[in-house]
Amino acid sequence: MILRGEFKIEMPGKEIFPNIWGGINLDLDLTKCDVQGPVYVGSGSRIEPGATVIGPTVIGRNCLIEKGARIEACVIGDYTRITAFADVFEKIISGRFCVDRHGDNVDLNKSGYTFVIDDVRERRTWTQEQQILIDFLKTQNLATP
């Protein structure tokens, strides 16, 4: 509701494009990403060319949204990596935890999905099957984990 202007609260950061706000030190090229506001991107975050972000969405500080990822109507917590495998809709995501609009939650680490969504500060090792999939997507120029 804040992003849509239904409350008169000043957005942090700077409006870098109509309905798109960002903090400092962003790595974001709006000519190479599909970003549809209202969207807020926190300081130090990177949205790779080829990613899609559809508002209303809030992306925290120091996040990485990889090429091929699709995010719509989400709240992404600080230090979260969203990989090319992700297509998320109406979720609250923080690091390796994900909650949907009904309150159902998943620990992505315990369920084996950290190759899709993870804490950007973590260094993970992949299963052989996950590595095969990642390698294939890299050859198709779709993933950069």
Side-chain angles (χ1 to χ4, degrees), residues 10-24 26 28 30 39-41 43:
E10 188 174 325
M11 289 297 295
K14 175 180 166 184
E15 190 170 17
I16 57 178
F17 198 76
N19 284 321
I20 301 172
W21 294 267
I24 60 172
L26 296 180
L28 167 63
L30 291 171
V39 170
Y40 174 79
V41 182
S43 297

Side-chain angles (χ1 to χ4, degrees), residues 1-123:
M1 290 169 34
I2 292 170
L3 289 172
R4 289 190 205 119
E6 295 172 18
F7 288 107
K8 295 298 178 194
I9 295 175
E10 188 174 325
M11 289 297 295
K14 175 180 166 184
E15 190 170 17
I16 57 178
F17 198 76
N19 284 321
I20 301 172
W21 294 267
I24 60 172
N25 298 325
L26 296 180
D27 186 356
L28 167 63
D29 184 345
L30 291 171
T31 65
K32 296 180 180 174
C33 301
D34 182 12
V35 181
Q36 302 172 29
V39 170
Y40 174 79
V41 182
S43 297
S45 289
R46 178 173 191 225
I47 300 177
E48 293 183 344
T52 300
V53 180
I54 300 172
T57 292
V58 174
I59 298 172
R61 294 174 295 127
N62 301 305
C63 292
L64 172 59
I65 312 302
E66 293 183 355
K67 173 184 178 179
R70 186 175 192 288
I71 301 168
E72 182 175 353
C74 291
V75 175
I76 309 296
D78 297 346
Y79 297 100
T80 300
R81 175 194 328 264
I82 307 291
T83 72
F85 302 105
D87 185 353
V88 290
F89 176 70
E90 294 186 344
K91 304 279 190 274
I92 299 172
I93 300 169
S94 183
R96 64 177 199 196
F97 299 99
C98 180
V99 179
D100 70 14
R101 70 177 313 166
H102 306 291
D104 295 328
N105 63 70
V106 174
D107 180 335
L108 298 164
N109 188 39
K110 289 182 181 176
S111 63
Y113 287 104
T114 53
F115 72 100
V116 178
I117 298 171
D118 198 5
D119 187 315
V120 76
R121 298 167 293 186
E122 296 290 327
R123 295 255 182 213

